[in-house]
Every structure is written in structure tokens, then in C-alpha cells.
Amino acid sequence: MTHFDLAIIGSGSGNSIITPDWDGKKVAIIDGGTFGGTCLNVGCIPTKMFVYPAQLAAAAVDGARLGVDTVSAGVRWRDIRDRIFTRIDAISDGGRRYRDEELDNVTLFSEYVRFVSPHALVTASGQEITADEIVVAAGSRPVLPDVPGMDLPQVHTSDTVMRIDELPARVLIIGGGYIAAEFGFVFSAFGSDVTMAVRSGALLRSLDETVSERFTAEASKQWNVQFETTVDSLVENADGSVHAVLSGPAGESALDVDLVLAATGRTPNTDRLDIGAAGFDLTSDGRLAVDSYGRVLASGAPAKGIWALGDISSPYQLKHVANHEARVVAHNLVHPGDLRATDHRFVPAAVFSSPQIASVGMTEDQAIADTEARGVELALAVQEYGSTAYGWAMEDSTGFVKLLAERESGRLLGAHIMGHEASMLIQPLVQAMEFGLDAATMARGQYWIHPALTEVVENALLSLNTKEKPGRNRP
């Protein structure tokens, strides 16, 4: 049995817990997966490194409507893949070597682990580890739907699909959320024929209703989206393709594809840690229960010296949230008398599809419920990209900014953007919400570059003062 001052389960955001405060103390990092975690290896970073060339390919085709006759001559999938993962793998390997070989006080256990008691762990090979402080940052993994044929080699998740050898001609995507929307764009922009099987009647249903409705309409023009449809079975054909049987509103149908992507969500890895042996609490959706300081709960009370962050415990499966939680836990570990709380009030998120989407704060439904409960009036504005000079230059007919605010105070409650570079346009709105800047002051208290696309945000802020009280019959 080896004892450590600190043991970290997971090498993603948990890796950043090792600050100079731990110099000279014994630290263990335990991770049976690829060093660096989800974001670096199979998530945010490589997916966006595919999205950017997909944007270039899509722009070449889109130029004709603006009088620019350009075409995409195709993509070199292996070149793109190898360029991306040559860089990603080097970063992962460099991080592993630094922790494992260059830091004398850090021991890396490259295997999975489970609890045997609150402060005792055992690795898959039987090594016993104890620690005064344990940080659980073991992340999440893709969920596979219970469908016959899901074990076929042609079936992938976001963890594996970016490593395939050839661009598939025909792709079936199961799901209608973030991952489905992003990979639907990448594969279709690269030239694949994309079919999407969606159990519900819309895409991105967790987002604001206006965003979901408009994105669904635009995505349906790009891909063969089959709503209220389930995949019943997958069978390998003699030529190596996959025969998929689907059930939808019109009954049973079938199609042959070259690749199936299961994009039906992710689940926290709590079930792999034997949480019950330690007596820790779980939330209703299987996450480790934590308080606002990142302390793991046991029977409703903080368990001494046990912390958690990221997908294993957070309601937000977002890297920037995991990094924030890691900074909070890193502080609290070494300053027990000055605990800091996580701030989940204004968490922005983006979907890097076509069109791009970004959001922060409340949806319209949430804002209506919130303002009605507090007895204040809600102001709503929807501003089209095409109402600005830069929108004219783009001939944009789909992009928009939607803002929700308290009418009297002008305090922003939510912001939702769909269109070109939405993930960048939303940042000043995140800043305004975080620092309490009201809509009127934000709109008129600074210069807005003309004719930059940011004017659509300015105009949306100004429109909040003139819009009628929101209702279900909005434009």
C-alpha cells in the first residue's frame, strides 16, 4: 500500500490541480485512459480542428450565391486526420512524460481504479493507494443505444470516429444533440451523404425554442433528418456496409450506410469507481453529488478530503466549466479556511455546426417562468443578422440574436445567437451578465465598430426597449 498527500483520478482538468503548492508532497495521478482527458483527445479540440476545414469546404460551395464561382474539389481525409492527431498525440504524450518522468513527487498510474473506502483505492492491477486528499475528475463516456448491431466495427462514437481511415460516402447519425449537429456538419461539408435519425421532432431541443426551431429548419436543408425515428437494428452487408432498419411516422424503412455514429449523449464514469464502497452520494442522473465548494457529499454532508470536478460531478459537460471547477478545487485544497464557491450562474456554450450557435443564461421558457415568479416584466428582442450592413454583405437570411432581459432594470437574463461566429459574438453578452451591465448602458456606453457584425448585438440591445411583452406568437 502506497500513501500520498494527494491522489487525482483523471488526467483532464484534474491534471491542473497540481499547483506549486504541492511541490515536495507526494501526488498520484490515476487514469486508465489516454492522458489529457476527453477535451484534448476525443472532444472539444480535435472536433473543432475538423470543423474549421469543414467550414472552408462549405464556404467554397456557398460562394455561388454571392457571385463567386468556387467549388470544393474534395478533401483529403487522411491528411486532415493525421495533421490533427500528430499534434494532439504529441501534446498528450508530452503531458504524460512530464508528469510521469520529470516530476519526482508525482507518480502516474496508467490504469483504472476503484474505491474500497473513502480514502483508499485499488487499481485494476491490484495496487493499493491511500491519500489524505482525493480529487475525482474521472470524466464521462459516450452512451451507446440498446440496438442490435451496435457492436459492429462500422459503428462509432465521438471517441473513435475521428480516427477512421477513409471518409465514408454514407453516414447514419443517431441522435439530435450537440455531437450529432457538429459531426453532421463535418461529414456533409466533406461530401458524405448524411442521414440523421432523431427520436424527437426537433434538433438541439435543450436549447432555446427559437434556436431549436430555426436550426432544425436549416439543418433539414443540409442533411436527411428523419424525426420521431428510432434505429431498430444494424446488420453488416457482404460488402462491408451496414444495413440499418429504422422506424418512423411512416412505418419501417431501411438504408445502407458505410458508417454509423452513435451520438446519443454521455454518462459520468461513476459506475466504474465503485462509489458505493466509499458511501458517497449520487445525483438522480448518476453524477457524484458535490457542494458549491467542490466537496463530495456523503449522506448529505461534505466528506472530509474528497473533492470532484468536471463531467463526473458537474451538470455542465463543458471544458471551460471543468477548468473553472478545477481552479476552485485547487484553491480550496490548500486554503481550507478560505473556501471559494463555483460560479455556475452564466455558463456559455456553443455548437460548432452550420449555422453556429452560442447561448448563455436562461431560455425564453425559463425566463418567462422566472420573471412571472418574481413579478417583473420580461423584455425580448430578436435581431436578424440581415438587418445590419455586414449581414447585407453576407446576404445572410438565417442568423439572429435573441436577448431576454428584465424590462425595468435592463438586466440580461439570457442570450442566444445563431449564425456566423456566434461563439465570438456572444462573449460581450457573457461579460455584461457576469458584471451586471444593463442592456441600455451596454448599447450606448461604448462604441460599436461600423459596419462590423457586432452591430447585430448592439441593435438587439437597443431593441429590448421597444419590443412588446413576449408571448408564444413571436416572429
Side-chain angles (χ1 to χ4, degrees), residues 111-114 122-127:
E111 51 185 319
Y112 292 106
V113 71
R114 61 181 176 84
V122 62
T123 69
S125 65
Q127 297 184 74

Side-chain angles (χ1 to χ4, degrees), residues 28-64:
I29 300 179
I30 312 159
D31 194 337
T34 306
F35 194 93
T38 297
C39 175
L40 173 63
N41 294 291
V42 295
C44 330
I45 295 174
T47 56
K48 301 329 169 267
M49 293 176 77
F50 275 98
V51 164
Y52 185 72
Q55 290 173 337
L56 298 178
V61 176
D62 189 50

Side-chain angles (χ1 to χ4, degrees), residues 101 107 278 305 318 400 451:
E101 301 173 12
T107 301
L318 297 166
F400 69 94

Side-chain angles (χ1 to χ4, degrees), residues 45-202:
I45 295 174
T47 56
K48 301 329 169 267
M49 293 176 77
F50 275 98
V51 164
Y52 185 72
Q55 290 173 337
L56 298 178
V61 176
D62 189 50
R65 67 183 182 84
L66 297 174
V68 180
D69 294 326
T70 55
V71 295
S72 173
V75 301
R76 301 188 303 276
W77 172 270
R78 289 196 183 197
D79 288 352
I80 295 172
R81 180 200 64 181
D82 293 348
R83 172 181 59 81
I84 291 169
F85 287 108
T86 296
R87 186 168 191 173
I88 293 297
D89 292 347
I91 296 171
S92 172
D93 189 54
R96 182 196 59 78
R97 287 198 315 272
Y98 173 67
R99 291 302 192 198
D100 190 29
E101 301 173 12
E102 298 180 29
L103 295 181
D104 294 335
N105 67 317
V106 175
T107 301
L108 175 64
F109 295 86
S110 297
E111 51 185 319
Y112 292 106
V113 71
R114 61 181 176 84
F115 281 93
V116 293
S117 68
H119 286 269
L121 305 161
V122 62
T123 69
S125 65
Q127 297 184 74
E128 296 180 0
I129 299 167
T130 60
D132 296 330
E133 306 280 350
I134 297 178
V135 177
V136 187
S140 62
R141 66 184 187 277
V143 174
L144 284 173
D146 186 15
V147 174
M150 273 289 151
D151 57 347
L152 291 174
Q154 299 90 337
V155 178
H156 291 268
T157 68
S158 56
D159 281 3
T160 61
V161 73
M162 291 179 284
R163 299 265 187 173
I164 59 175
D165 290 332
E166 304 293 342
L167 178 67
R170 302 163 299 178
V171 177
L172 170 62
I173 298 178
I174 307 172
Y178 283 37
I179 295 172
E182 293 188 351
F183 279 107
F185 167 56
V186 168
F187 281 119
S188 63
F190 285 170
S192 300
D193 181 16
V194 174
T195 298
M196 193 173 289
V198 184
R199 293 183 62 181
S200 67

